Amino acid sequence: MLDKVLIINTGGTIGMVHSEKGNTMSPLRPAENWDEIAKEHLVLEGLATDYYQFETLIDSSDISPENWVKMAEVIESNYNEYRGFVILHGTDTMSYTASALSFMLKDLDKPVIITGAQVPLQKPRSDALQNLITAIQIAGNEFYGIRLVPEVCIFFRDTLLRGNRSRKNDARNYFGFSSPNYPSLGEAGAELGIKKNKLLKKNEGNFHIETALDNRVIIIEIFPGLKPSYLMNIFESIEDVKGVILKTYGNGNAPTNEDFIDVINFITSKGIVVINITQCTTGTVKMGMYEASTKLLDAGVVSGLDLTPEAALTKLMYLLGKTDDTEEVKRLMSIDICGEQTLNHYNFKFAQNNPAKICKFSFDIPEEIAGGDMIEAAVRIKKLSQKNKVDKVSIIVSLEGDSFIENIDNFQCKKKIHKNTENIHEDILLNFNKCAKKISEESKEIIVTLESDKAIVWGDIVFSIYAEC
Ligand code: ASP
């Protein structure tokens, strides 16, 4: 059977037929079997496929995590028998399913291509046939024994998209899906072109599935006029929520008024993981860039970078299902698992011990970004002040062996704050973007030293790094 593709039908428009044979005006119902779908389409009968149908075919508006587990299990139990898999699915929640499966199917090295249609197969001018044929071809494609597409994708109209980057953006147009923050993986014209350099690297481990998903999560979209008291009521009355996807403005900005920030602090104080993603179609959350997001940062909100809402939600369900350690969930939410985000974000946080004249902290640069992948770096010292009035605090960032990086690109990593620090009580932000790459090429360690001639007091020191995935 290894030369075949397994079609898994879950429902949606693509698998619907007219209840009265031959009458295209009669209501649509789910097909009973593959023959009913494929008949009248000789080309489908000619393709090397087997067919598996969900017991109940559903409109994808009814999709739930249990359905994702079922899909993963069907793929697992048939994994060694087929070249690849095509999932027939309603378009409405297809991007959620594609995202969820991308986290659940581990060490995948075969194509899992999800497709659907805006118009059922039997209607004139339907998009179903073309979507189906091309999805089967991509799923069955092999090149010198190597599967070309070792990941979960959506194929629609003429474009192959990474599943966890995709979004449904049109309810009518045959170009129904887009991938706003990542290029397409392939185009189907007269030729089928796969962009190999955009695909995930082939996995080395043994394929397996991880099916524990925790759906005690909620998405909240902010808007001008949102009453903080409504949010407070929700979180005071729901006991067991574990994670929140907060859809904010622009680069991750939200209202700065005290009532709103109090609610966010209340939510995070309950141990709930809050992930900040943008309402914009394209772009990345960068908290700390504007004051309007700094307060979220201080409240313990985590950056969801350029995750789509679908990927953010399913990644959170997956990670909450994997571990009870919320700090670990927060850390992993900012690090790429399977191509779902463009950057990794790391935070190294140091808390104040005792006021001292010299305070020194160090941390190891994560192994996976050593060698030049760091593209942005910044240190933020919160609420810096001094016991006794003096006018200078030096903030020194140095590398392995305490060596300086002053010679790099004329950049000074030794800063002196010339202020009356007794009254500062403010955040100091220094960025090292210009030399970030060089830092990660030259050192395995970063050392931050605060130096003054009087004891220094501060809230937190956070060293933040962005790196290419
Ligand atoms: N409501 C349908 C579904 O998502 C629409 C479609 O299949 O395109 O199942």
Side-chain angles (χ1 to χ4, degrees), residues 12-13 58-61 90-92 117-118 168:
T13 304
I58 52 175
D59 186 293
S60 78
S61 325
T91 55
D92 290 346
Q118 303 277 40
K168 178 172 178 177

Side-chain angles (χ1 to χ4, degrees), residues 152-155 159-163 166-167 177-179 183-185:
V152 179
C153 299
I154 284 184
F155 179 79
T159 314
L160 185 69
L161 304 174
R162 174 162 301 154
S166 68
R167 302 216 69 200
F177 286 80
S178 66
S179 171
S184 72
L185 304 181

Side-chain angles (χ1 to χ4, degrees), residues 34-76:
W34 177 244
D35 287 346
E36 214 179 8
I37 296 173
K39 72 174 179 226
E40 295 160 30
H41 295 288
L42 279 179
V43 59
L44 287 179
E45 285 172 356
L47 295 173
T49 57
D50 279 338
Y51 181 73
Y52 178 96
Q53 180 163 302
F54 267 38
E55 214 165 291
T56 314
L57 294 177
I58 52 175
D59 186 293
S60 78
S61 325
D62 279 322
I63 281 283
S64 68
E66 289 74 40
N67 298 124
W68 297 333
V69 172
K70 176 77 189 159
M71 290 177 216
E73 285 171 350
V74 172
I75 290 172
E76 185 191 37

